[in-house]
Amino acid sequence: MLIKSPKASDVLSSEITPKSVFENRRAFLRTAAVAGAGLAASSLALPALAARTPLSGIQKTKWSEANLPGNDKINDYEDVTGYNNFYEFGTGKRDPYENAQDFKTTPWEIAVEGACAKPGKISFEDLIKPHALEERVYRMRCVEAWSMVVPWVGVSLADVLKRFEPTEDARYVYFETLFDPERMPGQRQAVLDWPYKEGLRIDEAMHPLSLLAVGLYGEVMPNQNGAPVRLVVPWKYGFKSIKSIVKIKFQKTMPPTSWNDAAAREYGFFSNVNPRVRHPRWSQATERRIGELFKRETLMFNGYEEEVAHLYKDMDMKKWF
Ligand SMILES: Nc1nc2c(c(=O)[nH]1)N[C@H]1C(S)=C(S)[C@@H](COP(=O)(O)O)O[C@H]1N2
Ligand SMILES: [Mo]
């Protein structure tokens, strides 16, 4: 594998953008857009937003808004869809919003392979359709020490995976993002060893919190958030929640993951949110909730300790970070 570690990790750490810088840039873009509206063809105008399409038949679950723990509030739509990490569309927080609007996600196929009785290539629609759409409001914590509360819409990952009848050898699940530099301009730069890769241990993948998300705010997933389908694993750092998935593979061995490949010392396979294990270059004890002024303390397993701690009870979480 090419050695891209210094580059990749430098990019990630440099992305710890103070909220004020981001806000100023956004204010500038808004002003530019308004100014641009008066002109026939302004290059400064924001890209036309893809249409927002409501999803129907969404069921409430125990993770829906009414049961949001603590003093957590759902983040503004503008923050959830305008401040993203999605390096396939650029490394800046605003890049995915600006560069992903024209990304075509139909048709979309997902290959399900490896240690299972019923492998196959299926369309996005066929993958999702037999399952109930659920609303899940989850806290999301980026390894860069910022966080948001997002009202996802999705289907239980476990329910989807079981359809393919994983075998005894399925000890891990590997996920892969689309590789298509024509459609994903960020892939023309070797920021990461594309395609983006992630993985979960089978018990993590089968945990009821693990979600295959297809939307947010009751609507079809915006491109910048990982359309048409992405993973959401709320007790782990955000980079585990891989976007725009085209491959799912059951396997016996621990799969490679993009950030571990890029900088193994900094990003482990498990990457559970753990305020007691610092990143080599910064503390993980606190976080900035986007939209709030003061930092919050980061909670063990991002606040999902009761649900997931048992998965790791016999493991040294400093070794297996
Ligand atoms: N394919 C892909 N998936 C990805 C990323 C990425 O760059 N490419 N970024 C990750 C990171 S670092 C985070 S914090 C979350 C952010 O998701 P959001 O932008 O929808 O909040 O997506 C994750 N999934
Ligand atoms: Mo992240």
Side-chain angles (χ1 to χ4, degrees):
M1 204 198 96
L2 290 171
I3 296 165
K4 301 183 178 107
S5 329
K7 227 172 178 176
S9 47
D10 284 358
V11 172
L12 197 63
S13 63
S14 71
E15 288 306 321
I16 309 175
T17 312
K19 172 79 170 161
S20 58
V21 173
F22 169 69
E23 292 282 53
N24 285 340
R25 175 124 199 274
R26 188 159 70 171
F28 165 76
L29 286 167
R30 276 216 195 94
T31 314
V34 170
L39 304 166
S42 170
S43 58
L44 281 176
L46 288 173
L49 271 185
R52 292 174 57 171
T53 312
L55 289 162
S56 52
I58 303 169
Q59 302 181 356
K60 298 270 179 201
T61 68
K62 67 171 176 171
W63 291 291
S64 299
E65 182 178 6
N67 293 303
L68 200 58
N71 52 351
D72 288 313
K73 279 198 341 262
I74 294 179
N75 272 89
D76 291 348
Y77 182 84
E78 283 69 28
D79 287 336
V80 172
T81 60
Y83 187 90
N84 305 101
N85 274 333
F86 196 173
Y87 280 17
E88 285 83 344
F89 293 99
T91 54
K93 293 287 178 282
R94 194 64 176 172
D95 290 345
Y97 168 85
E98 286 178 1
N99 301 332
Q101 297 304 328
D102 296 332
F103 180 53
K104 291 267 174 305
T105 58
T106 47
W108 191 270
E109 268 197 341
I110 296 128
V112 183
E113 307 174 350
C116 61
K118 297 188 167 160
K121 270 202 160 192
I122 44 174
S123 70
F124 163 70
E125 287 76 16
D126 288 343
L127 185 81
I128 300 305
K129 205 180 270 161
H131 305 284
L133 283 184
E134 299 177 14
E135 181 192 63
R136 308 270 195 101
V137 180
Y138 284 162
R139 287 180 292 267
M140 305 299 292
R141 168 64 156 77
C142 181
V143 75
E144 300 162 326
W146 53 269
S147 63
M148 286 198 217
V149 179
V150 181
W152 300 109
V153 179
V155 298
S156 152
L157 176 63
D159 288 352
V160 172
L161 295 182
K162 281 175 196 159
R163 274 171 61 197
F164 301 91
E165 299 181 12
T167 65
E168 286 281 285
D169 280 349
R171 287 163 55 187
Y172 294 89
V173 191
Y174 168 75
F175 301 87
E176 204 174 272
T177 295
L178 176 69
F179 177 68
D180 188 344
E182 296 264 312
R183 292 155 71 197
M184 295 179 139
Q187 290 178 334
R188 295 171 210 162
Q189 254 89 50
V191 179
L192 288 170
D193 189 18
W194 310 110
Y196 196 99
K197 307 165 187 68
E198 259 307 335
L200 296 172
R201 208 170 57 192
I202 192 76
D203 57 340
E204 299 177 320
M206 293 297 182
H207 191 281
L209 278 171
S210 295
L211 190 70
L212 266 187
V214 300
L216 44 80
Y217 275 91
E219 299 169 356
V220 167
M221 188 71 79
N223 289 341
Q224 61 269 34
N225 292 89
V229 59
R230 65 170 291 175
L231 193 64
V232 176
V233 195
W235 70 93
K236 292 177 182 278
Y237 290 119
F239 62 85
K240 298 294 288 183
S241 293
I242 181 172
K243 297 177 169 182
S244 304
I245 296 166
V246 293
K247 188 190 280 190
I248 298 175
K249 187 175 180 189
F250 299 100
Q251 55 185 69
K252 196 167 186 173
T253 53
M254 187 181 275
T257 68
S258 284
W259 284 103
N260 185 253
D261 282 352
R265 235 173 54 80
E266 306 192 10
Y267 311 105
F269 175 84
F270 287 96
S271 294
N272 291 311
V273 175
N274 186 346
R276 282 166 244 151
V277 176
R278 45 173 289 128
H279 182 280
R281 290 182 283 130
W282 61 82
S283 163
Q284 295 290 19
T286 61
E287 69 201 52
R288 187 180 304 282
R289 176 67 50 83
I290 300 299
E292 288 181 3
L293 207 55
F294 300 105
K295 287 195 176 173
R296 291 173 171 247
E297 271 181 36
T298 288
L299 304 175
M300 191 65 200
F301 296 111
N302 202 29
Y304 298 98
E305 184 166 13
E306 236 173 80
E307 284 105 321
V308 302
H310 68 277
L311 298 176
Y312 311 102
K313 66 177 191 313
D314 297 322
M315 289 170 64
D316 177 351
M317 299 258 309
K318 284 210 163 71
K319 182 169 173 236
W320 299 102
F321 64 98

